[in-house]
Amino acid sequence: MKDAAPQTVYLEDYTPFGFTVEKVDLTFRLAPSATRVRSKIRFAPKPDAPGRRFFLHGEDLKPISTRIDGTEITPRHVEGGIELNAPDTPFTFEAEVEIDPAANTALEGLYMSGGMYCTQCEAEGFRKITWYPDRPDVMAPFSVRIEGDMPVMLSNGNPGASGPGFAEWHDPWPKPAYLFALVAGDLRNHPDSFTTMSGKTVDLNIWVRPGDEGKCAFGMEALKKSMAWDEKVYGREYDLDVFNIVAVDDFNMGAMENKGLNIFNSSCVLASPETSTDANFERIEAIIAHEYFHNWTGNRITCRDWFQLCLKEGLTVFRDAEFTADMRSAPVKRIEDVIALRARQFREDNGPLAHPVRPQSFVEINNFYTATVYEKGAELIGMLKTLVGDDAYARALDLYFTRHDGDAATIEDWLKVFEDATGRDLTQFKRWYDEAGTPRLSWSEAFEDGTYTLTFRQHTPPTPGQPDKAPRVIPIAVGLLNPNGDEVQPTTVLEMTEPEQSFTFDGLSAKPVPSILRDFSAPVILETRTDTATRAFLLAHDTDPFNRWQAGRDLALDCLLAMIRDGAAPDTAYLDALHTLIRDDTQDPAFRALALGLPSQDELAQLLHDHGHTPDPQAIWEALETLKQARAEAFHDTATRLHAQYQVEAPYAPDAAQSAARSLANAAMAMLTQLDGGALAQKQFDSADNMTRQLAALSALISAGRGDEATRRFYDQWKHDRLVIDKWFSVQIANATPDTAADTAKALTRHPDFTIRNPNRFRATLGALTMNPAGFHHASGKGYALLADHLIALDPLNPQTTARMCTAFETWRRYDSDRQALIEAELHRILATPGLSGDTTEMITRILG
Ligand code: PHE
Ligand code: ZN
């Protein structure tokens, strides 16, 4: 529970801390229930600091002693910390506190996971370790001594002295407290090394619990690739003698970029072909890169305050996406990212939780690690790059690194760098950071005397607290095709700045077909919907892979909308166009697999809502089932051939080519399961020697209603492996029918392997239910009740994970009045829980609106 009552913090209230911290020395004497933390911190008053109140954060700390320059003092305990009378000259603050890692179920600060000690300090967890100015603009070099009986004891920076019962670490780079980390346990390592561009050798280690040693090799390769890539593409070299990664089972998020000591949710680093899917491998590679890239974008240059979170997260997500595009397939990565952006960020931006990429206020910063800050934040970097061009982007980044190395910077600093490097005025562009909401873009065309005119209109609907929106700068990448399919205008970027704006193209011999918003050049909703023939034409001829995929996706959406709204039969034009594509072996199998993907239930619900209809989750599910059946029947022969043809004979490799083949073969297998009741899936399950094939087969069998035996066998095979058992939990819920999903989830919450204390297991069960929309939104309300029960149970233990999962309810106003009433009652039930955390209170209050 929080000591401090929740308070709103405002960006405009920012004031610098009145002291600099010259040096931090920490000594930990580890004990599970009574760890002693001694700190010695050298402070210097800033000459011109206003007010200069000496306040140190601290939460749940048992004070043992406090001294200033060696003299014992009694601090005033105030809300959220202590206050002291500080000398006017530099002084040494010393304190000893006791903390209880074993009782720390919130997984913030120092806690225990599977017998090991570990920390999580972002955003405001360091205050649960000792008294400190726990704010990102206070940066200092840290030295750490760990005393305890653990065989491996790690902290940030370079190793110092060590011996029986102790280890010392020195981090020469000034850092904010949120990047502090400590790990101690009986760990095994997977060592390697990397030689940097200037010839320095860096020791690399991935540390894991005994038994997991065999799952480190892939992560290590990803780390080395990331290090080489950041040197080559951004000129960024690593800056310590050692880089450690630790895998931890109990973790609220994906991973954390602590200086020189990244801590990972074990699901985001451990991998083997037998236990991980192709998608897992791709994600792990991206997250390792992401955390590594933070060393420059986040650590060397950090954030002045938490309102600037997108400064490090948007840029680092953008960088990891560039990396994945280089390592794998750029179009595939872009399509996957846009699917995720629409599913998570557009959903957020169009509901009660909408907030700007750089918010103006917050109650609990943990609630702002959102798709908007991360994914939309990355889109803003992508737009900047598109607007200024590759060369200017590279110059601006060089300037950013030289000008701000060692700084705690702001979005203003970031934009100023681009203005100085390019001479552009970015005042209007800045609206993207300050205003929430997804712009809607529509267009119309005219053709006369060889001149083609495209006219665009933009508007952004109101969002909470921001009723009126000004026009944005929108880079619209456009290409034009001749009616014969040739490209007459290669991709060009139109820069829209007005509410309505026209662009002309001269010297055309025939009216062209436009390909608009190529590569998804801006995070907007394209409202203008073209006809089926144009879509089929673009699916066949567009040179832009993203827009080819989009054309297929739009065909599917229109087909499904007609089925849901009007009870129409599956559109044969869509089936024919898709069939032509998937049977064409000159086409990239990855692209064909993506084209076979269907819009999600949630995307359809949002689209129906946007068109003024109340979505019926059951009807959406049924339409998708009907369409899957129709596709299976129409494509039967092709599916049979593809399934056979794209079996991978070579030894398993988690690379782009093999994973494309497997995903096409698995898509074919899923179609054939619609027709054979699961015979082929059963064969695949029986013979699968990698998780990608095994899990796809199990999903298909469960969907076909004959998964019981395979589910049992899967459990017996994998009951020793926590990460695979997470999959076992979620696959059963994800593939359950609307009527049974909540019951399946409920039964699984009673399974001996279920625990609400492990965030991965909680997400694999309750999170999986929220991702089965027809099951979660079952008209009986049983899905809502089950989730609410578990949120109420989890909140006192782990407010952060509870608050995040409340977002399952953020779309509630889309639905019919019965469902709205059911959800509203659950939201009020949660809110009425005595002692509810500030995190969850904030989320539920905002969702209720
Ligand atoms: N900063 C981490 C990342 O994006 C995410 C994170 C936030 C992890 C807060 C833990 C707590 O890489
Ligand atoms: Zn990050």
Side-chain angles (χ1 to χ4, degrees), residues 184-218:
D186 177 17
L187 301 173
R188 302 297 136 87
N189 75 329
H190 179 101
D192 207 324
S193 72
F194 180 82
T195 305
T196 70
M197 60 205 267
S198 70
K200 265 186 11 200
T201 302
V202 180
D203 290 334
L204 311 176
N205 294 294
I206 298 183
W207 298 92
V208 297
R209 283 171 43 179
D212 288 335
E213 299 91 327
K215 292 183 172 183
C216 301
F218 178 78

Side-chain angles (χ1 to χ4, degrees), residues 519-788:
D519 207 34
F520 202 64
S521 59
V524 300
I525 292 174
L526 209 47
E527 278 187 332
T528 306
R529 303 191 74 75
T530 49
D531 55 42
T532 303
T534 307
R535 288 186 166 141
F537 173 84
L538 288 172
L539 179 60
H541 300 293
D542 203 333
T543 59
D544 181 66
F546 177 82
N547 265 3
R548 286 189 64 213
W549 170 82
Q550 184 65 54
R553 170 58 53 116
D554 284 333
L555 283 171
L557 283 168
D558 286 347
C559 163
L560 282 158
L561 284 184
M563 292 170 71
I564 297 163
R565 269 191 329 219
D566 318 324
D571 178 12
T572 50
Y574 162 65
L575 295 174
D576 290 347
L578 184 60
H579 199 182
T580 304
L581 173 75
I582 64 165
R583 85 185 143 205
D584 179 355
D585 283 332
T586 66
Q587 300 287 337
D588 180 2
F591 185 79
R592 285 184 277 164
L594 279 166
L596 275 168
L598 281 166
S600 70
Q601 296 174 52
D602 199 63
E603 186 175 352
L604 287 161
Q606 180 68 40
L607 197 62
L608 284 160
H609 175 77
D610 286 347
H611 290 202
H613 300 270
T614 302
D616 173 355
Q618 176 72 24
I620 292 172
W621 183 82
E622 281 167 14
L624 281 162
E625 291 300 304
T626 306
L627 184 56
K628 281 185 207 161
Q629 187 64 30
R631 295 195 330 175
E633 283 161 16
F635 305 164
H636 174 258
D637 295 344
T638 305
T640 307
R641 175 174 72 77
L642 293 176
H643 182 261
Q645 189 173 328
Y646 285 92
Q647 294 302 319
V648 176
E649 304 297 341
Y652 183 94
D655 58 27
Q658 278 199 12
S659 81
R662 276 188 288 271
S663 72
L664 188 53
N666 280 336
M669 187 263 303
M671 286 196 276
L672 294 168
T673 302
Q674 301 277 143
L675 306 173
D676 72 4
L680 183 68
Q682 187 69 55
K683 250 170 86 192
Q684 176 162 327
F685 183 82
D686 293 341
S687 66
D689 58 0
N690 63 65
M691 184 51 68
T692 308
R693 296 187 78 235
Q694 191 178 19
L695 195 63
L698 181 57
S699 302
L701 287 169
I702 295 171
S703 303
R706 50 177 272 192
D708 289 357
E709 193 223 320
T711 301
R712 265 196 307 279
R713 277 172 46 200
F714 189 94
Y715 181 81
D716 286 338
Q717 185 183 351
W718 295 115
K719 52 183 183 276
H720 60 280
D721 189 305
R722 313 172 293 287
L723 297 175
V724 181
I725 291 302
D726 287 334
K727 294 177 164 55
W728 181 80
F729 273 82
S730 53
V731 72
Q732 296 178 66
I733 300 163
N735 295 289
T737 61
D739 284 339
T740 60
D743 307 323
T744 303
K746 189 170 195 166
L748 284 169
T749 62
R750 298 188 174 140
H751 189 276
D753 290 349
F754 178 76
T755 165
I756 71 171
R757 284 170 187 261
N758 177 261
N760 289 357
R761 191 59 47 88
F762 191 84
R763 287 186 280 257
T765 313
L766 281 311
L769 176 61
T770 71
M771 287 182 290
N772 180 334
F776 178 57
H777 291 283
H778 192 267
S780 64
K782 60 186 174 180
Y784 307 145
L786 183 71
L787 180 64

Side-chain angles (χ1 to χ4, degrees), residues 120-123 178 251-257 287 290-291 294 309 312-313 316-317 366 369 374 800:
Q120 173 52 44
C121 293
E122 188 177 4
Y178 83 84
F251 202 75
N252 284 330
M253 308 279 276
M256 180 63 211
E257 69 264 24
I287 296 179
H290 180 97
E291 305 311 331
H294 267 315
L309 183 57
K312 74 176 176 82
E313 295 305 346
T316 306
V317 171
N366 283 334
Y369 286 79
Y374 275 68
Q800 196 182 334

Side-chain angles (χ1 to χ4, degrees), residues 835-848:
L836 193 73
S837 68
D839 304 51
T840 304
T841 304
E842 182 189 18
M843 291 298 273
I844 303 279
T845 310
R846 285 166 61 208
I847 291 169
L848 281 167

Side-chain angles (χ1 to χ4, degrees), residues 11 80 84 147 182 220 252 328 376 393 407 424 609 629 646 713 750 798 848:
L11 168 58
L84 300 161
E147 298 172 359
L182 178 154
M220 184 57 82
N252 284 330
R328 293 167 179 263
K376 188 174 177 182
Y393 175 81
D407 286 353
R424 239 172 206 269
H609 175 77
Q629 187 64 30
Y646 285 92
R713 277 172 46 200
R750 298 188 174 140
N798 187 334
L848 281 167

Side-chain angles (χ1 to χ4, degrees), residues 149-319:
D149 55 6
M150 289 296 185
V152 177
M153 299 195 285
L154 311 170
S155 189
N156 315 89
N158 294 322
S162 65
F166 82 99
E168 293 180 354
W169 292 84
H170 306 287
D171 184 358
W173 297 103
K175 68 164 174 293
Y178 83 84
L179 292 173
F180 169 82
L182 178 154
V183 170
D186 177 17
L187 301 173
R188 302 297 136 87
N189 75 329
H190 179 101
D192 207 324
S193 72
F194 180 82
T195 305
T196 70
M197 60 205 267
S198 70
K200 265 186 11 200
T201 302
V202 180
D203 290 334
L204 311 176
N205 294 294
I206 298 183
W207 298 92
V208 297
R209 283 171 43 179
D212 288 335
E213 299 91 327
K215 292 183 172 183
C216 301
F218 178 78
M220 184 57 82
E221 288 313 305
L223 175 59
K224 290 189 288 181
K225 284 187 204 166
S226 307
M227 295 178 85
W229 187 90
D230 213 15
E231 291 185 346
K232 184 169 141 249
V233 180
Y234 281 83
R236 299 294 110 201
E237 188 177 10
Y238 187 61
D239 54 5
L240 290 167
D241 302 339
V242 43
F243 188 81
N244 285 312
I245 287 178
V246 182
V248 167
D249 285 336
D250 301 283
F251 202 75
N252 284 330
M253 308 279 276
M256 180 63 211
E257 69 264 24
N258 316 299
K259 184 78 187 191
L261 178 54
N262 288 2
I263 297 182
F264 275 63
N265 186 321
S266 53
S267 72
C268 297
V269 53
L270 300 181
S272 73
E274 297 73 34
T275 59
S276 312
T277 63
D278 289 327
N280 294 150
F281 278 102
E282 183 181 329
R283 180 151 184 270
I284 287 168
E285 185 176 83
I287 296 179
I288 294 214
H290 180 97
E291 305 311 331
Y292 175 73
F293 296 158
H294 267 315
N295 190 55
W296 274 94
T297 51
N299 301 3
R300 287 286 285 260
I301 305 178
T302 193
C303 303
R304 187 193 71 174
D305 54 69
W306 291 119
F307 296 102
Q308 322 295 329
L309 183 57
C310 64
L311 179 77
K312 74 176 176 82
E313 295 305 346
L315 179 54
T316 306
V317 171
F318 181 73
R319 276 154 46 73

